[in-house]
Amino acid sequence: MRIRKAVFPVAGLGTRFLPATKASAKEMLPVVDKPLIQYAVKEAIAAGAEEMVFITSHAKNSIMDHFDRDYELEAALEAKGKQELLDAVHDVLPPGISCVYIRQPEQLGLGHAINCALPAVGDQDFAVILADDLIAGSFQPCMAQMHRVYQEYGSSVLAVQRVPWEETHKYGIVESEQIGPGLSEIRGIVEKPKTEEAPSNLAVVGRYILTPRIFRLIDRTKPGAGNEIQLTDAIEALMGEQTVLAYEFEGTRYDCGSKFGYLKANVEMGLQHPEIGDEFRDYLRGLTDSWLTTPDQKIG
Ligand code: G1P
């Protein structure tokens, strides 16, 4: 039992990053030196996926270009003997990995986006990664951890983490029964509940392993929170028919759909970067002494 296909819904407008995302996809925003979507694809490959299915919209050509070969660039780097850069360019899409692009004609919600993947996914279990949830800092990438759980239990798995109660309105929130360390079986799931209505503070982050039954259930799903066809609501229906597990992954999640989360990802991953990490650390230390202690004077 293996997951071969990973779906990346990338058709969103990225309004929180305008004007940066006016002509370019939000998934192409770089964290240090790689776009968010490349981290997501790498994570899917590390979990064994071989076919990347992107659900796109008209303004997302930069994603297609990114995963395409650029022979002119490669020839130029080769002529200049820039082997490291050439390797970095080749690393974008390793051999044996293929990409499929499907247009989402209208943006009717995450559930609708996933349903657009049906022609590429067919009747296989599959992974979903939301690229703006960047997960790093663990021995094994998040989707590979989930894949281990999937192989052991043979059922759908959602990545979850505890969030502050006052933030439940930003997430799908699960009600679940613990079956092992960091692992529970979902009994209920609700999209973006108010704190007082949330069944717990265990939130779904952008990683799912799903069975193809979900497609039929999305078909039957009526618009929910935000008047969108929610994946969460289809998962609630799935849970009535099959086991759905919630897995508390190891690692740090950065909400790169928000400016603050995106900046944190850049700072923390910059600190770990082999090329600039040390220099950046010294720079930040210097900032603590000047900028951070007298921010008003500096900014004003
Ligand atoms: C989506 C899902 C939500 C999940 C979240 C994780 O919401 O609908 O259930 O908790 O991703 O990032 P979005 O952030 O797209 O509004």
Side-chain angles (χ1 to χ4, degrees), residues 267 271 277-293:
V267 169
L271 284 169
D278 291 343
E279 197 183 344
F280 188 46
R281 182 166 295 104
D282 290 345
Y283 165 73
L284 284 184
R285 279 207 185 99
L287 272 193
T288 323
D289 296 339
S290 58
W291 268 87
L292 300 184
T293 47

Side-chain angles (χ1 to χ4, degrees), residues 70-124:
D70 184 339
Y71 293 102
E72 213 175 307
L73 173 67
E74 289 176 26
L77 293 174
E78 209 163 342
K80 288 187 178 151
K82 306 235 176 204
Q83 192 55 44
E84 251 179 61
L85 291 179
L86 196 57
D87 291 346
V89 167
H90 283 153
D91 191 48
V92 170
L93 198 69
I97 306 298
S98 60
C99 296
V100 173
Y101 299 90
I102 297 178
R103 282 277 176 103
Q104 185 185 10
E106 282 177 285
Q107 283 162 45
L108 301 179
L110 181 59
H112 179 258
I114 299 306
N115 224 14
C116 294
L118 171 63
V121 171
D123 61 357
Q124 300 177 32

Side-chain angles (χ1 to χ4, degrees), residues 16 26 110 130 132-133 170-173 189-192 203-208 228 230-232 253 255:
R16 279 190 278 177
K26 68 170 173 174
L110 181 59
L130 308 188
D132 52 12
D133 276 332
K170 296 184 187 170
Y171 300 95
I173 299 289
I189 182 165
V190 47
E191 182 68 9
K192 301 194 171 76
V204 178
V205 303
R207 304 287 183 280
Y208 308 77
E228 295 186 345
Q230 296 289 353
L231 180 60
T232 298
R253 169 214 174 225
D255 173 13

Side-chain angles (χ1 to χ4, degrees), residues 149 153 176-185 187 243-246:
V149 175
Y153 291 85
S176 62
E177 201 173 298
Q178 187 128 6
I179 57 167
L183 192 64
S184 51
E185 201 173 312
R187 300 279 179 241
T243 302
V244 180
L245 299 174

